[in-house]
Amino acid sequence: GDSVTQMEGPVTLSEEAFLTINCTYTATGYPSLFWYVQYPGEGLQLLLKATKADDKGSNKGFEATYRKETTSFHLEKGSVQVSDSAVYFCALRKNTGGFKTIFGAGTRLFVKA
Amino acid sequence: EAGVAQSPRYKIIEKRQSVAFWCNPISGHATLYWYQQILGQGPKLLIQFQNNGVVDDSQLPKDRFSAERLKGVDSTLKIQPAKLEDSAVYLCASSLIGLGPENIQYFGAGTRLSVL
């Protein structure tokens, strides 16, 4: 079945370090891909998205490129801040049938000052 | 614009008791979702409504879980009777339209349920 696999956390970085959180997916067809962020005590917020192969989603310094050949959607940021500490979820959304969204298990990021 | 409202924020019950969660979506959003998020896992869709009709409830444990969305606006999710494994955060989300690749879901803060 369709699934999303993320690198396990927690990921601990110092401020201004480079961030990569790996995400790969398994799906039939051509899903849309998303990154959501969850800050402590809050619901999930959409961070960025890409709806077709080779699209690059970007927001708040984060970016991810939809790579169909490697079925990946890795999240990157050039210089993290303490305020980026949160849980990051990779997700795919089927574009047929009920358009169900399937989430990865999440990766917790800690950024130290 | 007001976000997705959920209540209560926290609930502690004993196993075999019943519990209900309430969600008020963003005004004008036709699609409403209930997710279960177990600690350390990503959200899992329980049920999806389009207006007041059910689009997908394939992962809803129907022997104990029920949900309704009367009048196509707010929604209630109920568990009766609760089991220990129901301990999780229950997230409600809404979107303007449910179908299409550009759909964006907006999430509430969730209700954290502990079953003792």
Side-chain angles (χ1 to χ4, degrees):
Chain A
D2 301 326
S3 65
V4 175
T5 303
Q6 294 181 232
M7 63 187 289
E8 287 192 22
V11 173
T12 302
L13 296 173
S14 296
E15 209 166 21
E16 299 183 2
F18 184 86
L19 169 71
T20 300
I21 299 178
N22 290 337
C23 170
T24 57
Y25 69 91
T26 301
T28 55
Y30 302 92
S32 298
L33 301 176
F34 303 83
W35 277 100
Y36 285 84
V37 59
Q38 187 175 33
Y39 298 103
E42 299 183 14
L44 278 72
Q45 302 174 26
L46 179 65
L47 181 59
L48 54 85
K49 66 181 174 72
T51 58
K52 61 183 186 297
D54 300 325
D55 268 2
K56 178 184 284 188
S58 61
N59 186 25
K60 300 181 182 179
F62 292 89
E63 59 182 35
T65 301
Y66 190 142
R67 301 286 189 200
K68 189 159 181 64
E69 64 276 13
T70 55
T71 62
S72 64
F73 193 54
H74 305 321
L75 182 68
E76 296 182 336
K77 186 175 185 183
S79 176
V80 294
Q81 306 299 313
V82 171
S83 56
D84 294 327
S85 297
V87 181
Y88 292 81
F89 292 91
C90 184
L92 71 82
R93 176 177 165 77
K94 299 282 287 184
N95 292 324
T96 56
F99 296 85
K100 179 182 293 185
T101 299
I102 297 168
F103 289 86
T107 302
R108 183 175 295 276
L109 170 67
F110 291 106
V111 180
K112 303 179 297 184
Chain B
E1 178 182 79
V4 176
Q6 289 189 248
S7 68
R9 287 299 308 275
Y10 306 93
K11 190 73 177 178
I12 301 173
I13 61 172
E14 295 188 350
K15 59 183 179 183
R16 292 189 289 273
Q17 287 187 321
S18 62
V19 64
F21 313 126
W22 175 81
C23 172
N24 191 28
I26 293 173
S27 177
H29 279 196
T31 309
L32 185 147
Y33 313 78
W34 282 103
Y35 289 89
Q36 180 191 58
Q37 185 179 14
I38 292 172
L39 186 64
Q41 299 181 19
K44 182 185 81 172
L45 180 68
L46 292 175
I47 189 167
Q48 176 181 342
F49 292 95
Q50 185 78 12
N51 296 308
N52 60 350
V54 175
V55 173
D56 184 346
D57 64 356
S58 57
Q59 297 190 94
L60 186 74
K62 298 180 186 64
D63 58 334
R64 298 184 300 106
F65 286 64
S66 64
E68 59 182 12
R69 190 185 184 198
L70 300 176
K71 301 180 182 178
V73 182
D74 56 352
S75 176
T76 302
L77 176 70
K78 296 179 182 178
I79 307 175
Q80 181 179 13
K83 293 185 175 181
L84 296 177
E85 60 261 36
D86 298 331
S87 295
V89 176
Y90 291 84
L91 295 168
C92 180
S94 70
S95 63
L96 192 58
I97 55 171
L99 308 181
E102 293 298 318
N103 170 279
I104 294 176
Q105 295 180 41
Y106 296 85
F107 284 81
T111 297
R112 183 176 298 276
L113 173 67
S114 296
V115 182
L116 307 178

